[in-house]
Amino acid sequence: MTTELPTNINIKEPRWDQGTFLGRAKHFFTVTDPRNILLSNEQLESARKIIHEYRQGIVSPGLTEDELWRAKYIYDSAFHPDTGEKMILIGRMSAQVPMNMTITGCMMTFYKTTPAVVFWQWINQSFNAIVNYTNRSGDAPITVSQLGAAYVSATTGAVATALGLNALTKRVSPLIGRFVPFAAVAAANCINIPLMRQRELKYGIPVTDENDNRLGESPKAAQQAITQVVVSRILMAAPGMAIPPFIMNTLEKKAFLKRFPWMSAPIQVGLVGFCLVFATPLCCALFPQKSSMSASRLEPELQEKIRERGLEVERVYFNKGL
C-alpha cells in the first residue's frame, strides 16, 4: 500500500540545501531548465492546482514527493511569486539560455559595423528590460519611469562602450575586437541593474532574522544584494563571450567557413548556448539567494530600532534578487 504524502513539506524553500554551492547549483539548474518554456498551458495549470491545493493541506491522490517538487519548479518557472500572474514567456528564467544564446551569438558575429552594433545592443537591452520587469519584486514594484530610465541608460551605455572600443581596436588584432561585445554587456549590467533597483538603494530592502521575522528595510543590504547580482550577471556572460571568440577565430581561418561563411552565426550561437547552459545556473549559485550580512553593518538607526525591540541579532537575512 502507498502512504499519502505528508502535508508538512516546506515547498516555500528550494528542495536542496542553499547553504552549499552544490545545493544552490542543483536548484538553479532546475529553475533555468530551458525545457520548461515548452510546457503547455494545461501542464502549467496542473502544476498550479497541485501547489495551491498542497498549500491548503489538500494532497492529490497518488501524488509522490518527486512529483510535488516537479510541480513546484514548474509553477515557479511560469508564475510570479508575489502576484501569482503568469509571466511573459521570454521573461521567464527558463528562457534565459535560448534567448541569451541567440542575442549574444549575434552580437558577437555582427560586431564590426556601427548599425549592427547599435541594433544588437538595443535588442539585448530590450530583452534585459523585459526580464527585469517580468521578475520585478512585489515589495518594490518597478514604475514605468524607472523602467524607461534604466532601459535608455543601459542601452546608451552599452552602445557607447561598444562603439568606443570598436574605434580603439581597429589597429589591433581582430581577436581583441571580438571581446568588445562582452565589455559593452558588462558596462550595461553595471548601469542597468542599479538603475532598475534604485528604489531599493534609496529606501532599502526588507531584512529579517534567522526565523524570518521582519526587522526593517536597509539600503546597505540593498547595496550588497545589487553588487552580488551585478557580479554574477557579468560572470554569467563571461564564458559565452570569452571562449567562443578563440574558437571562432580559429574556425574562420579554415576552409569550411571560408566556403560557407553564412555558417558563422549558427556555429557562434551554438557555442554561446553550450556555455550558457552551464554558466547561467552556476553563476546564479555563486551567492545564496537568501543572502546575509552582519547586523553591525546595518544603518545605525535600524540597529537602534532592533535594540528597542529587545532583540539580539548577530546576522540579518535578505533576498538578493536575480
Side-chain angles (χ1 to χ4, degrees):
M1 292 180 64
T2 58
T3 57
E4 188 175 273
L5 193 67
T7 58
N8 61 351
I9 298 173
N10 184 11
I11 57 173
K12 290 183 179 180
E13 299 293 333
R15 185 175 191 178
W16 298 279
D17 179 11
Q18 297 300 285
T20 67
F21 177 76
L22 181 59
R24 295 195 297 271
K26 287 180 178 179
H27 168 68
F28 281 109
F29 266 107
T30 307
V31 168
T32 62
D33 188 344
R35 292 174 296 180
N36 284 339
I37 63 174
L38 302 176
L39 296 172
S40 66
N41 283 330
E42 289 75 17
Q43 290 171 301
L44 295 180
E45 291 301 328
S46 174
R48 174 154 68 172
K49 181 174 181 290
I50 289 172
I51 296 303
H52 281 193
E53 288 183 348
Y54 187 83
R55 287 172 176 170
Q56 296 168 13
I58 303 170
V59 180
S60 302
L63 184 70
T64 66
E65 185 172 352
D66 283 342
E67 289 171 342
L68 174 65
W69 283 111
R70 174 61 180 155
K72 174 210 164 31
Y73 277 104
I74 289 176
Y75 176 81
D76 289 349
S77 77
F79 297 94
H80 193 280
D82 295 320
T83 66
E85 296 175 354
K86 190 178 293 183
M87 295 185 286
I88 304 167
L89 183 64
I90 64 172
R92 301 173 191 172
M93 288 304 294
S94 51
Q96 288 293 292
V97 171
M99 290 300 298
N100 273 325
M101 66 182 278
T102 303
I103 295 171
T104 303
C106 289
M107 278 197 297
M108 296 174 66
T109 301
F110 310 108
Y111 67 93
K112 294 181 179 179
T113 67
T114 298
V117 169
V118 172
F119 177 76
W120 285 109
Q121 291 294 343
W122 168 66
I123 289 290
N124 186 46
Q125 293 311 317
S126 298
F127 172 64
N128 285 341
I130 292 172
V131 171
N132 289 328
Y133 178 77
T134 303
N135 295 281
R136 66 198 183 279
S137 168
D139 274 352
I142 301 171
T143 65
V144 173
S145 61
Q146 288 172 334
L147 187 67
Y151 172 62
V152 172
S153 300
T155 303
T156 303
V159 171
T161 302
L163 293 179
L165 290 177
N166 264 351
L168 291 174
T169 56
K170 285 180 179 178
R171 298 181 180 179
V172 297
S173 165
L175 178 60
I176 296 177
R178 290 182 179 275
F179 289 93
V180 168
F182 173 60
V185 167
N189 277 324
C190 292
I191 298 168
N192 188 307
I193 297 170
L195 275 173
M196 193 64 68
R197 298 176 64 174
Q198 58 183 294
R199 186 182 185 280
E200 298 174 28
L201 290 170
K202 184 176 181 180
Y203 298 107
I205 57 176
V207 294
T208 67
D209 61 15
E210 60 182 359
N211 297 316
D212 287 333
N213 297 310
R214 188 160 175 162
L215 303 172
E217 289 75 37
S218 169
K220 288 189 176 180
Q223 291 171 14
Q224 178 175 311
I226 291 169
T227 299
Q228 290 178 344
V229 171
V230 170
V231 170
S232 63
R233 289 274 192 98
I234 291 174
L235 292 177
M236 192 186 299
M241 301 188 85
I243 297 173
F246 290 102
I247 298 174
M248 292 304 298
N249 204 51
T250 300
L251 290 179
E252 288 182 356
K253 296 175 183 176
K254 304 295 183 183
F256 177 76
L257 281 185
K258 286 183 178 179
R259 186 177 177 184
F260 304 105
W262 59 270
M263 284 295 294
S264 180
I267 292 173
Q268 184 124 258
V269 168
L271 289 171
V272 172
F274 179 79
C275 293
L276 285 174
V277 164
F278 299 97
T280 300
L282 292 178
C283 288
C284 282
L286 286 175
F287 305 102
Q289 186 69 34
K290 188 177 181 180
S291 195
S292 68
M293 64 188 291
S294 171
S296 62
R297 292 179 53 203
L298 293 172
E299 293 75 12
E301 57 272 20
L302 181 54
Q303 293 185 47
E304 181 62 29
K305 181 181 175 182
I306 293 171
R307 283 193 293 267
E308 287 176 355
R309 292 169 61 183
L311 302 174
E312 293 185 8
V313 179
E314 292 186 2
R315 294 196 72 79
V316 295
Y317 300 84
F318 51 90
N319 180 6
K320 74 174 177 64
L322 290 172

